Amino acid sequence: MEELENMRSLHQKQLEREVEGILRGEDLLRPVTMFDPELGIGSSEALKVELEYAYNIAARYKRPYSIAIFNIDGYEEYDAHYGRRAAKLAHKLTAEHIRHSCRSVDRIYRYDAGTTILLILPETNYEGGCVLAERVVAGFSRRNIPNFRSAQHGLLTLSGSVASYEPEKPGKYARWGDMIDDALLHLHLAQGQGGNMIGKPLPA
């Protein structure tokens, strides 16, 4: 019971800081919403609160968790060839596919103004995160959405990557932003290698 109350208190403090920032005018021209109406998932504003909350809880209670980041391969080329309406529908389908592919405890958010989508995976180590991410990527390609701009696959595909906080390696990520940076790096590497894959660090 005490642990639950501590978690609630920490989350409340995070939300209060967001509200204080709004009252100070830091985001006066950009309303903060917890829901992205275009994709039907959590908003990028809500994600910032959840990322800090998840990291602080994991660090305090020595619990693992992972993030998984996904992006549509060659989205700009797909948009240019098929048009804006088709591209936006593909983006929404991507969000729905990821949401239906993950567990009920996982939380899905829009990462930014682009097409990147991020999952927060509680109580999940790196291996478990990769298993889920690979299932998401493989399942999306099996939808067989034509993409004639993809010379390698001929289909619309996803790429992804995973970063994990592991209590036995507390110095690996000093903050949640380091996890994001690492995940984005390997996502970009995966897309640079043709996409439809999970970017992973090279063996030491």
Side-chain angles (χ1 to χ4, degrees):
M1 181 63 69
E2 181 180 355
E3 179 178 336
L4 179 60
E5 289 301 319
N6 288 335
M7 292 173 67
R8 287 175 175 169
S9 176
L10 181 60
H11 197 194
Q12 182 64 32
K13 288 177 182 178
Q14 298 296 334
L15 293 174
E16 289 173 355
R17 280 200 288 270
E18 290 286 313
V19 173
E20 288 171 1
I22 297 169
L23 294 176
R24 289 196 303 268
E26 292 177 359
D27 284 313
L28 192 59
L29 300 178
R30 183 169 60 87
V32 174
T33 176
M34 303 300 282
F35 181 75
D36 185 284
E38 181 181 358
L39 298 181
I41 59 178
S43 69
S44 56
E45 289 89 350
L47 174 60
K48 295 173 186 176
V49 178
E50 286 294 330
L51 283 169
E52 187 165 354
Y53 174 65
Y55 182 88
N56 289 340
I57 289 296
R60 179 172 182 176
Y61 295 105
K62 304 296 188 289
R63 306 299 303 170
Y65 85 101
S66 297
I67 61 170
I69 296 183
F70 302 93
N71 204 353
I72 300 172
D73 298 322
Y75 183 77
E76 292 79 9
E77 292 81 2
Y78 184 87
D79 186 346
H81 184 78
Y82 291 95
R84 169 53 47 178
R85 183 172 182 275
K88 293 184 78 170
L89 286 173
H91 190 196
K92 185 174 179 62
L93 175 64
T94 301
E96 292 176 352
H97 169 77
I98 295 172
R99 181 164 57 86
H100 288 298
S101 300
C102 63
R103 307 165 302 183
S104 60
V105 296
D106 301 328
R107 304 191 293 279
I108 179 172
Y109 298 90
R110 187 171 194 160
Y111 174 69
D112 55 17
T115 56
T116 307
I117 293 173
L118 186 145
L119 280 175
I120 297 178
L121 312 173
E123 302 290 332
T124 305
N125 60 20
Y126 181 75
E127 290 74 19
C130 286
V131 168
L132 186 147
E134 287 168 352
R135 184 170 73 240
V136 169
V137 168
F140 190 79
S141 66
R142 286 197 296 269
R143 289 178 175 266
N144 294 317
I145 303 171
N147 180 14
F148 296 108
R149 299 296 296 174
S150 173
Q152 185 169 351
H153 305 291
L155 299 171
L156 192 65
T157 58
L158 291 179
S159 286
S161 67
V162 175
S164 303
Y165 177 88
E166 299 171 292
E168 64 272 18
K169 302 175 183 176
K172 184 177 181 180
Y173 297 120
R175 58 187 184 89
W176 60 260
D178 296 334
M179 297 177 68
I180 295 287
D181 291 343
D182 198 24
L184 286 174
L185 170 63
H186 291 100
L187 170 62
H188 295 152
L189 290 174
Q191 292 188 306
Q193 295 173 38
N196 197 34
M197 62 185 297
I198 298 300
K200 298 180 180 179
L202 295 173

